[in-house]
Amino acid sequence: MAAMASLYLKTSIPTPHSFPKLQKIHFTPPLALPTHKTRPATRISASLIDPDGGKIVELFVKQSEKESKLKHALSLPKITLSKIDLQWVHVLSEGWASPLKGFMRESEFLQTLHFNSLRLENGSVVNMSVPIVLAIDDAQKSRVGSGTSVALVNDKGDVVAILSGIEIYKHNKEERIARTWGTTAPGLPYVDESITHAGNWLIGGDLEVINPVKYDDNLDRFRLSPAQLRHEFETRNADAVFAFQLRNPVHNGHALLMTDTRRRLLDMGYKNPVLLLHPLGGYTKADDVPLSWRMKQHEKVLEDGVLDPETTVVSIFPSPMHYAGPTEVQWHAKARVNAGANFYIVGRDPAGMSHPLEKRDLYDADHGKKVLSMAPGLERLNILPFKVAAYDKTQSKMAFFDPLRAQDFLFISGTKMRTLAKNKENPPDGFMCPGGWKVLVEYYDSLAAAENGRIPEPVPA
Amino acid sequence: MAAMASLYLKTSIPTPHSFPKLQKIHFTPPLALPTHKTRPATRISASLIDPDGGKIVELFVKQSEKESKLKHALSLPKITLSKIDLQWVHVLSEGWASPLKGFMRESEFLQTLHFNSLRLENGSVVNMSVPIVLAIDDAQKSRVGSGTSVALVNDKGDVVAILSGIEIYKHNKEERIARTWGTTAPGLPYVDESITHAGNWLIGGDLEVINPVKYDDNLDRFRLSPAQLRHEFETRNADAVFAFQLRNPVHNGHALLMTDTRRRLLDMGYKNPVLLLHPLGGYTKADDVPLSWRMKQHEKVLEDGVLDPETTVVSIFPSPMHYAGPTEVQWHAKARVNAGANFYIVGRDPAGMSHPLEKRDLYDADHGKKVLSMAPGLERLNILPFKVAAYDKTQSKMAFFDPLRAQDFLFISGTKMRTLAKNKENPPDGFMCPGGWKVLVEYYDSLAAAENGRIPEPVPA
């Protein structure tokens, strides 16, 4: 098990003194279907939710075959992977997208675009809402020629993987963007980063990873695979796992929610619900707080006792971020099912952002949870929508927003938080634990220094 | 039963002299699922495919309640329907979109946009790929206020229907367009006609039709409802029904395909496969041949013996046309399942068109049949993709294109056909039956006359 979780297991468990009973979270089971609640069983390991397709598909080459596969790879046409491509290789290799066996072929790509799901050979349906595809250009395509396999290499030319049984098909970027984001407006971060300048072809096939993707950023130990996470949950005797996806610093509103969720799961009869606090580690847009700083902030939050380390596993989700709202939230949830989560917490406007051109949010704030609750292939997952938390001035702490006394609440937006941290001002008492806030101040400090021409120091995680 | 079908039953059956054995049609069962073939049964009526949701949902008010419903409607806020809105009322009222009970509420709209399908209360899934929605503007919304029902009226102010249990939600046009068409390029015909200038709200609810939609164009007798079509197929002892959607004049390539399909169904063991020749009768773009002319042309094709009237039912499909390619072809197929068809013929680039801005087709020519074959809720339907037919110069007739002797074939595009008809030239012998061609020449003649300031004569159907 990774260092952070172990570390916190050793930390003494603080009393959650600052979280009195609050308004109930509204629990909604998936619409129109009976809920398949996981019943606490004698053998706890049996109670983890099954991964999509029944088992986790890991795509690593066996140790004994590494040498021969590497030799074979060196004889194949090479495709150099971008940073984001490598993140997808990572995602695929560990089985987050199980039962996907590699970059999508056209039939998978089309099903993803049109149905947000894949039909398996046995007729069952799994969720799959974002295309996991590899683009190549005309020159690369002609280099591949009539070959059936290619070698995937990193920017240093080192072989990472083999893609075999390949299929090359058209990369209709406009259609991909329109169907994934529901807009084609210029300025979508993932599109600018990874699609606009990508090649006009997609290459799908079966992936065999020879050298697992590592980042050497002192955070690899937090990058637990779905299989490792499942092992960890079993070790902890979890009989329910609730996942919280985030790509922002944790404030006390988040903490309130997570603590309250555990309480409610206990009320429902679960004996040991475990939280998977699962920050996204792949590509994020430029104005998001970088992973290394977020991890440092999360560490402080746990150290400060805002969350109970005994029942919390902190790990990094290796996927890049699409900012595709209701489409992407399904991917975020599905991947966590594969890691053993049977409860998924979904907030306001998940994976959303501002419209790149218009003065409004790109997505309706409620669509994410609505779409998630109806998504094909996610019927087994219990969706936990949560009410907005805001700063309750009457209690000097974060609380679930009560529209009946709206005037008592203060909404601290990301922009507001950034402004405060940049100015080294403190947020209202009780908004975020002091240690966590200090990390944020340091981050914006380093950013200001960089803007003044100084290189920011790397953050030790 | 409608006049045309009856008429042709009385016509003597010509020998199909011009259709020798040709290349086999490639029959593909829905991917990855066992095919559920309808077995010929003793009671033929039992062999028709079940409608989606188990029964056809007709939304007409009972005769005995008409008066009271009308009185009630007159007390409600009014919403005036556009021509296309009325076509959707028609579609909904007869159960083409079963089990939909009215204009979509938000949960149905979202499922349609994201999943091209709806999950029913019992957990089963039906296909639903195009939004069937009713837009209202701010003024109409405020007129509805907190009411729970509205009256739907035509442009003369006559009450057509009541919409009750209403839900009003945002009409995000950009997202609707992007997810339905896979592009937001200006110039999509349905968008220009029905979305761009529509209101910013959608109103969903349960539809009760007081006055069924009629067009008084001498073609109403061809507008058979799904229930009427099912009755007709049962009367004819059909043990398989194969549907052919079209919005163009029928040429001998189409006829070849339909005849060949019947032959193949007989080879498969069916005793009496019946063709549903099902021209689309709702909104079409300006350069398509209008319905009245197409019906006249279809009539000639049957009179000329190109299709066997004994085993052909000609009827009008009341839906408007989206030109949304792979998304729309699912709707075209699903609606025909509701009318009793268990086989659906799908061609190259169904419901496709040119990209409004770029010099290419909007959709990949193969995506329609691929998406259709994988579509959720259509697993029961047998998809019959067909090879392209072209004019075989060596045989002086339409034949399935053989790429091994490409030079022998002549492709007669829509543009080419139009140019010939406009110039009153004849197409190559064997391209279309002379009676059918004559109708087309007359149509373009009337168009030229109209362009010269004369009003074209209405076409007696």
Side-chain angles (χ1 to χ4, degrees), chain A residues 30-34 106-108 110-117 119-124 127 170 172 174-176 178-185 324 326-327 330 355 358 360 362-364 367 370-379, chain B residues 30-34 106-108 110-117 119-124 127 170 172 174-176 178-185 324 326-327 330 355 358 360 362-364 367 370-379:
Chain A
L31 290 190
L33 263 194
E106 193 181 39
S107 72
E108 292 153 340
L110 288 174
Q111 289 181 79
T112 299
L113 288 188
H114 288 274
F115 315 132
N116 286 194
S117 58
R119 190 155 71 202
L120 308 185
E121 295 231 346
N122 66 5
S124 68
N127 191 267
K170 274 183 229 152
N172 185 330
E174 181 188 54
E175 186 171 355
R176 174 181 172 193
R179 296 197 193 278
T180 305
W181 279 271
T183 177
T184 57
T327 300
Q330 299 170 65
H355 193 286
E358 299 168 25
R360 61 171 176 95
L362 182 49
Y363 304 108
D364 185 294
H367 281 187
K370 286 179 183 170
V371 168
L372 186 59
S373 71
M374 302 185 290
L378 294 179
E379 297 84 359
Chain B
L31 290 191
L33 263 194
E106 193 181 40
S107 73
E108 292 154 339
L110 289 174
Q111 290 182 77
T112 299
L113 288 188
H114 288 274
F115 316 133
N116 286 196
S117 59
R119 190 157 68 200
L120 308 185
E121 294 229 347
N122 66 6
S124 69
N127 190 268
K170 275 184 228 151
N172 185 329
E174 182 188 54
E175 186 171 357
R176 173 182 173 193
R179 296 199 193 277
T180 305
W181 280 271
T183 177
T184 57
T327 300
Q330 298 171 65
H355 193 286
E358 299 168 25
R360 60 172 177 94
L362 182 49
Y363 304 108
D364 185 294
H367 281 188
K370 286 180 183 170
V371 168
L372 187 59
S373 72
M374 302 185 289
L378 294 178
E379 297 83 359

Side-chain angles (χ1 to χ4, degrees), chain B residues 85-101:
Chain B
D85 294 337
L86 267 171
Q87 291 168 3
W88 284 124
V89 167
H90 183 176
V91 164
L92 289 167
S93 68
E94 293 184 342
W96 297 96
S98 289
L100 217 57
K101 293 197 174 109

Side-chain angles (χ1 to χ4, degrees), chain B residues 55-206:
Chain B
K55 64 172 190 220
I56 295 171
V57 179
E58 291 196 338
L59 303 171
F60 300 110
V61 164
K62 277 186 226 152
Q63 190 63 36
S64 61
E65 292 178 2
K66 264 193 166 179
E67 207 170 325
S68 65
K69 289 282 182 188
L70 185 60
K71 205 173 149 187
H72 176 52
L74 293 171
S75 73
L76 296 173
K78 285 178 189 48
I79 290 173
T80 304
L81 301 173
S82 71
K83 245 186 190 175
I84 288 183
D85 294 337
L86 267 171
Q87 291 168 3
W88 284 124
V89 167
H90 183 176
V91 164
L92 289 167
S93 68
E94 293 184 342
W96 297 96
S98 289
L100 217 57
K101 293 197 174 109
F103 285 104
M104 290 179 176
R105 296 188 177 91
E106 193 181 40
S107 73
E108 292 154 339
F109 179 61
L110 289 174
Q111 290 182 77
T112 299
L113 288 188
H114 288 274
F115 316 133
N116 286 196
S117 59
L118 303 176
R119 190 157 68 200
L120 308 185
E121 294 229 347
N122 66 6
S124 69
V125 168
V126 297
N127 190 268
M128 193 68 246
S129 63
V130 301
I132 302 183
V133 288
L134 181 58
I136 58 173
D137 60 24
D138 292 0
Q140 284 168 314
K141 178 171 182 284
S142 83
R143 238 177 297 142
V144 174
S146 59
T148 58
S149 299
V150 294
L152 307 182
V153 305
N154 65 20
D155 57 357
K156 293 176 205 129
D158 303 330
V159 170
V160 175
I162 292 172
L163 198 64
S164 61
I166 58 171
E167 180 186 302
I168 297 180
Y169 55 101
K170 275 184 228 151
H171 187 191
N172 185 329
K173 297 177 186 180
E174 182 188 54
E175 186 171 357
R176 173 182 173 193
I177 296 163
R179 296 199 193 277
T180 305
W181 280 271
T183 177
T184 57
L188 297 166
Y190 187 93
V191 172
D192 287 353
E193 183 74 22
S194 185
I195 300 182
T196 307
H197 303 290
N200 287 320
W201 303 95
L202 297 174
I203 180 168
D206 294 330

Side-chain angles (χ1 to χ4, degrees), chain A residues 275-346:
Chain A
L275 164 64
L276 171 59
L277 182 60
H278 215 191
L280 180 137
Y283 163 80
T284 51
K285 60 190 167 63
D287 60 349
D288 281 357
V289 178
L291 178 67
S292 58
W293 288 95
R294 281 186 279 131
M295 288 303 288
K296 192 172 165 161
Q297 195 267 354
H298 298 343
E299 190 179 355
K300 292 292 169 197
V301 169
L302 270 92
E303 269 180 21
D304 280 13
V306 176
L307 288 168
D308 180 357
E310 187 88 11
T311 55
T312 304
V313 173
V314 181
S315 181
I316 295 173
F317 177 47
S319 172
M321 188 76 201
H322 267 63
Y323 304 93
T327 300
E328 185 170 24
V329 71
Q330 299 170 65
W331 160 240
H332 286 175
K334 176 238 164 70
R336 273 56 175 247
V337 169
N338 281 341
N342 56 337
F343 285 88
Y344 187 83
I345 301 176
V346 62

Side-chain angles (χ1 to χ4, degrees), chain A residues 389-402:
Chain A
Y391 189 75
D392 183 345
K393 291 180 283 186
T394 67
Q395 301 189 72
S396 297
K397 67 182 178 214
M398 296 298 285
F400 292 120
F401 177 68
D402 177 358

Side-chain angles (χ1 to χ4, degrees), chain A residues 412-442:
Chain A
I412 300 172
S413 67
T415 310
K416 171 88 177 160
M417 197 175 78
R418 268 193 293 277
T419 310
L420 289 170
K422 276 179 190 169
N423 298 338
K424 298 184 193 179
E425 289 177 56
N426 283 330
D429 203 32
F431 171 71
M432 189 183 285
C433 67
W437 184 256
K438 197 161 160 273
V439 174
L440 276 195
V441 172
E442 279 170 30

